[in-house]
Amino acid sequence: MTAPLERVTRLIAELRLLPVDLDTLYRRQNSLSPLESLEVFLTEEQRLRTERQNQLRRRKANLPIEKTLDTFDFGFQRSVSKEQMLRLSDMTWVEQAYNICFLGPPGVGKTHLALSLAVQGLDYGYAVAFETLESLMKHLKIAEISKSSQHRLKYLGKCSLIVIDEVGFLPLTAAEANMFFSFVSSMSERTSLIITSNKGFDEWVDFLGDTTITTAILDRLIHRCEIINMSGNSYRLEHHQPIIG
Ligand code: ADP
Ligand code: MG
């Protein structure tokens, strides 16, 4: 006859529940009624599930690195205020599917701030995703023949917040610009986009190639949008770190 602990542990595995550490859980709680005992178990099971979902959501977000506002030097970057970023950190704009565009030259902190809001979104429990425009275009172009791109696009469709980084670095073909328009259009008013771009809106036609499609994309994007124009010197260049030794 196997011990109850062994039998319950086996049942947990067979029922595909998460491996609650029964030993630790009940060691300090030996005078529980059967119902209280069940409550302790289910509460722990629920905690493990939430923790696992959060880890999965973070993995799926695919952030290149986690950044926070705490490490952002607002003294160096004066074109955006800490108050403005703290206000946006309440993430209420995600509920209203507002967009945010960070515009400015390289190194001024656009991606850092976009990532900070993405991290905050994850902490608040939203489904979040990070793509560069290049990686997004790749998924859109090969979705017909690539299961993983199909899955990624399906996931993006379920997200509340998507960061599209480095918009404007590479010129798009007419077909790509159309795909980008369809994507922005399909997200419009249901998913928040955070866009970072090294080009001002008046220069978008340079990489999108066509005035009509540029106007159509900007129209969807800017309709409900906070535009943050950033200027100044590159933090990378000013804080250049040589190898020591
Ligand atoms: P951009 O996207 O505008 O090119 P990034 O956000 O990638 O710039 O910034 C480049 C690097 O410098 C990153 O490591 C980022 O964390 C850092 N950085 C940029 N601006 C600041 C700032 N004001 N305070 C602290 N770190 C910054
Ligand atoms: Mg960047």
Side-chain angles (χ1 to χ4, degrees):
M1 184 73 179
T2 45
L5 180 63
E6 229 172 281
R7 291 200 300 274
V8 175
T9 305
R10 207 183 56 220
L11 277 169
I12 287 174
E14 283 174 8
L15 289 169
R16 294 180 186 280
L17 302 179
L18 293 174
V20 171
D21 183 356
L22 297 169
D23 228 7
T24 316
L25 196 61
Y26 289 112
R27 193 170 296 145
R28 283 188 306 267
Q29 313 189 57
N30 42 22
S31 59
L32 297 178
S33 71
L35 203 55
E36 284 169 338
S37 198
L38 187 61
E39 186 191 357
V40 166
F41 172 78
L42 292 176
T43 306
E44 178 62 5
E45 180 70 21
Q46 187 181 47
R47 190 189 67 77
L48 286 182
R49 278 188 194 199
T50 308
E51 195 177 278
R52 205 169 73 157
Q53 281 160 2
N54 285 343
Q55 282 167 358
L56 197 64
R57 231 163 15 82
R58 273 193 132 74
R59 239 193 353 257
K60 281 188 178 169
N62 205 20
L63 306 187
I65 186 171
E66 295 211 356
K67 295 270 181 183
T68 61
L69 291 183
D70 293 342
T71 57
F72 194 81
D73 181 355
F74 287 92
F76 182 80
Q77 176 47 257
R78 295 193 163 274
S79 49
V80 52
S81 74
K82 188 168 187 179
E83 289 65 37
Q84 185 177 17
M85 288 309 301
L86 286 175
R87 181 170 56 77
L88 292 173
S89 295
D90 72 7
M91 304 308 282
T92 48
W93 49 278
V94 173
E95 289 302 320
Q96 295 145 21
Y98 263 70
N99 302 322
I100 299 182
C101 291
F102 291 104
L103 308 177
V108 292
K110 303 181 298 295
T111 304
H112 186 132
L113 294 180
L115 285 168
S116 308
L117 293 174
V119 168
Q120 185 78 348
L122 285 167
D123 289 345
Y124 274 44
Y126 289 112
V128 174
F130 180 96
E131 297 288 342
T132 60
L133 181 59
E134 194 181 359
S135 64
L136 174 67
M137 289 314 306
K138 192 195 90 188
H139 290 310
L140 291 171
K141 283 194 286 187
I142 66 171
E144 273 182 22
I145 53 162
S146 158
K147 277 261 175 297
S148 72
S149 285
Q150 271 167 34
H151 282 143
R152 187 61 179 165
L153 291 175
K154 199 169 163 201
Y155 185 69
L156 296 185
K158 288 191 280 188
C159 280
S160 299
L161 172 62
I162 303 172
V163 177
I164 308 177
D165 198 31
E166 298 186 349
V167 173
F169 268 57
L170 299 170
L172 302 190
T173 63
E176 288 169 344
N178 271 311
M179 279 183 197
F180 184 44
F181 166 71
S182 299
F183 182 81
V184 170
S185 187
S186 68
M187 294 299 153
S188 180
E189 299 192 24
R190 67 184 189 93
T191 303
S192 285
L193 299 178
I194 298 182
I195 303 275
T196 81
S197 180
N198 59 329
K199 299 238 168 25
F201 290 138
D202 54 342
E203 301 167 299
W204 277 36
V205 68
D206 299 348
F207 67 90
L208 291 170
D210 174 86
T211 321
T212 314
I213 204 80
T214 305
T215 311
I217 290 172
L218 288 177
D219 184 67
R220 301 292 190 288
L221 209 55
I222 298 172
H223 177 48
R224 292 147 73 82
C225 186
E226 178 112 350
I227 299 161
I228 301 178
N229 283 300
M230 297 170 72
S231 54
N233 297 329
S234 165
Y235 190 90
R236 286 192 197 95
L237 291 182
E238 300 231 351
H239 297 79
H240 158 75
Q241 292 173 356
I243 298 173
I244 301 162

